[in-house]
């Protein structure tokens, strides 16, 4: 069991580099199965979800290594199609392997995925897209058996712009026979990153970043080298931490355009933010308590649900009443109850959390409920007058390479226990 210890009320100051994107690299790792040879991805974060995906790929016969941010995946000896249940239970992104396995091997065996417990998160849209391309599915005792003699292009229209389902549809369509049209697809930056990666492998994709994507199937893809962009959720976390602690922090390596909505919200809360687009640099200065804010999460370009818990922590120290509405995951207010242990005055009204800010917060002891909720508790500790301890930090390690290292470099008194 791991825990984080924080001595609060230390203003954050300085510059921090942002790790590679967790939500972008996982579908790229799944895509490596579509090419015979060695794929290399640079600037990869050393986080638990990446190690879990490496474990799945190795169980399928791949050889994987991750050293100093350089990930290599050698698929030459890969022939398996069964995803071990032990890995599926750890991470939801394991379902992204369905499309590549069906495309390459014509069959796949998996289970309903795990990950953070933040709502129902069904995979029905994933299965719908793959069925449209010609796959058949059979379920027995929580196991999913998938088969496809030959995937063929089709028209896919999602009832909701699911990121994972969009990725699975693209991964299956790039080598399918004919052309696939995907409508009402997700527009998140990670979709664009995946499409750029697949294009480097030889895929033909039009419309990445728009609500309609067209994929012209090719006979085969080839191994590629790729440099991973910065993690926008990690960058947003550190900017919110700076706002909560009257800090002056510059984050380097994340695409400012990808953070347009969080930056807009932080400015409404009183932060002075300057941006250098070409240098991928965002500087936040705050010399007062944050102001209150109202926001609603939604698919990109809306406010990211992955930053909802973090901004709820920021709202808990604001001057006034804030309202944060969650529209993506129905159970993502687990952090709200735990933030109350730090003195936060938060109540929930259905899918809206109402925070009446108070400062400073009081020291607390709590277990991280999930990945982003755990980060929110760490930020609460930064704004607490005393020593706080956050337990069950395995969740945090799923998405942050080293939260203590990064915040410590900015002046936080924080360490792993």
């Amino acid at each position: 069991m791991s825990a984080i210890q924080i001595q609060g009320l230390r203003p954050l100051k300085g510059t921090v580099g942002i790790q590679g994107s967790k939500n972008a690299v996982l579908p790229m790792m799944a895509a490596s199965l579509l090419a015979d040879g060695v794929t290399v991805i640079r600037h990869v974060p050393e986080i638990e979800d990446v190690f879990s995906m490496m474990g799945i790929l190795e169980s399928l016969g791949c050889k994987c290594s991750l050293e100093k941010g350089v990930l290599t995946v050698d698929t030459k000896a890969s022939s398996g199609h069964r995803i071990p249940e032990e890995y599926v239970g750890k991470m939801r992104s394991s379902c992204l392997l369905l499309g590549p396995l069906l495309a390459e091997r014509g069959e796949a065996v998996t289970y309903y995925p795990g990950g953070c417990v933040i709502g129902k998160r069904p995979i029905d849209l994933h299965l719908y897209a793959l069925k449209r391309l010609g796959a058949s599915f059979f379920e027995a005792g929580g196991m999913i058996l998938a088969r496809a003699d030959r995937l063929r292009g089709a028209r896919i229209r999602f009832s909701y712009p699911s990121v994972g389902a969009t990725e699975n549809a693209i991964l299956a369509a790039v080598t399918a026979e004919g052309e696939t049209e995907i409508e009402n697809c997700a527009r998140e930056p990670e979709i664009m990153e995946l499409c750029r990666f697949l294009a480097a492998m030889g895929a033909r994709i039009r419309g990445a970043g728009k609500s309609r994507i067209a994929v012209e199937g090719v006979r085969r893809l080839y191994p590629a080298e790729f440099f991973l962009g910065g993690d926008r959720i990690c960058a947003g976390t550190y900017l919110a931490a700076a706002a909560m602690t009257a800090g002056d922090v510059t984050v380097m390596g994340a695409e400012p355009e990808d953070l347009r909505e969080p930056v807009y919200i932080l400015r409404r809360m009183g932060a002075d933010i300057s941006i250098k687009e070409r240098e991928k640099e965002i500087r936040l200065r705050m010399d007062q308590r944050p102001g209150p804010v109202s926001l609603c999460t939604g698919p990109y370009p809306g406010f990211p649900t992955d930053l909802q818990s973090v901004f709820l922590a920021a709202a808990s120290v604001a001057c006034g009443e804030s309202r944060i509405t969650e529209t993506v995951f129905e159970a993502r207010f687990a952090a709200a109850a735990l933030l109350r242990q730090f003195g936060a005055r938060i109540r929930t009204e259905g899918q809206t959390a109402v925070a009446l800010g108070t400062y400073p917060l009081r020291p607390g002891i709590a277990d991280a409920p999930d990945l982003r909720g755990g980060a929110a508790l760490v930020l609460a500790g930064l704004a607490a007058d005393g020593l706080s301890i956050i337990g069950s930090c395995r969740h945090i390690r799923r998405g942050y390479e080293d939260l203590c290292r990064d915040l410590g470099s900015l002046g936080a008194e924080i360490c792993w226990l």
Side-chain angles (χ1 to χ4, degrees), residues 1-5 48 366-368 378 389-398 404 415-417:
M1 179 176 179
S2 62
I4 292 176
Q5 176 178 287
E48 289 303 316
D367 286 340
V378 170
I389 296 177
I390 313 302
S392 295
C393 291
R394 64 187 184 279
H395 291 298
I396 295 174
R397 289 184 183 274
R398 286 189 51 234
C404 295
C415 65
W416 289 98
L417 296 178

Side-chain angles (χ1 to χ4, degrees), residues 141-358:
M143 180 184 295
I144 302 174
L145 309 177
R147 291 193 178 89
D149 292 333
R150 181 77 170 94
L151 295 180
R152 291 179 172 82
R155 180 175 176 270
I156 299 168
R157 181 172 178 80
F158 289 119
S159 58
Y160 180 86
S162 162
V163 175
T166 299
E167 291 169 339
N168 233 334
I170 294 170
L171 289 168
V174 287
T175 57
E177 182 180 314
E179 183 163 298
T180 298
E181 295 183 4
I182 309 171
E183 298 179 2
N184 195 30
C185 54
R187 299 167 55 194
E188 270 71 4
E190 293 79 17
I191 301 288
M192 297 181 66
E193 278 276 270
L194 175 62
C195 290
R196 283 194 287 268
F197 176 69
L198 289 168
M201 298 174 73
R204 298 175 182 172
I205 303 171
R206 304 188 305 275
K210 299 180 181 179
S211 59
R212 179 184 176 277
I213 291 176
V215 182
E216 182 184 345
V218 297
R219 295 191 66 179
R220 61 176 299 184
L221 296 182
Y222 302 89
E225 291 196 19
F226 195 82
F227 188 89
L228 189 64
D231 193 305
R232 64 190 176 109
I233 305 304
C234 180
T237 300
Y238 297 162
L239 290 172
M244 291 176 66
T245 60
D248 182 351
V249 167
T250 300
V251 297
M252 300 286 295
E255 187 64 57
E257 179 64 22
D258 297 345
L259 286 156
R260 178 187 294 184
E261 191 65 16
V263 164
Y264 169 72
I265 295 296
L266 287 166
R267 282 176 169 153
R268 283 175 50 195
M269 298 176 82
D272 177 16
I273 298 179
S274 57
I275 295 174
K276 295 181 180 179
E277 294 278 355
R278 293 184 64 182
E279 292 82 359
K280 296 185 179 180
E281 175 181 308
I282 306 173
R283 182 181 181 185
L284 181 147
R285 287 169 285 188
M286 179 77 88
D287 56 8
Q288 59 191 353
R289 280 176 63 187
V293 71
S294 293
L295 67 87
C296 180
T297 66
Y300 188 85
F303 190 90
T305 181
D306 280 353
L307 284 175
Q308 179 258 100
S309 299
V310 167
F311 274 65
L312 182 58
S316 70
V317 300
C319 298
E321 184 178 278
S322 298
R323 300 181 67 87
I324 296 180
T325 301
E326 173 61 51
T327 69
V328 180
F329 295 122
E330 72 281 358
R332 203 156 204 169
F333 282 137
L338 296 171
L339 286 169
R340 296 187 195 114
Q341 298 183 31
F342 293 79
R345 294 182 288 178
I346 301 173
R347 69 179 189 274
T348 55
E349 300 173 353
Q351 291 304 107
T352 297
V354 181
L356 183 60
T358 183

Side-chain angles (χ1 to χ4, degrees), residues 102-122:
L102 286 168
E104 278 296 296
R105 287 153 205 187
E107 59 183 335
V109 177
T110 187
Y111 302 82
Y112 280 96
C116 288
V117 183
I118 53 175
K120 296 177 182 177
R121 309 180 83 184

Side-chain angles (χ1 to χ4, degrees), residues 6-11 245 359-361 381-386:
I6 311 138
Q7 180 69 45
L9 301 189
R10 304 288 193 271
T245 60
Y359 185 85
L361 297 176
L382 295 175
D385 186 12

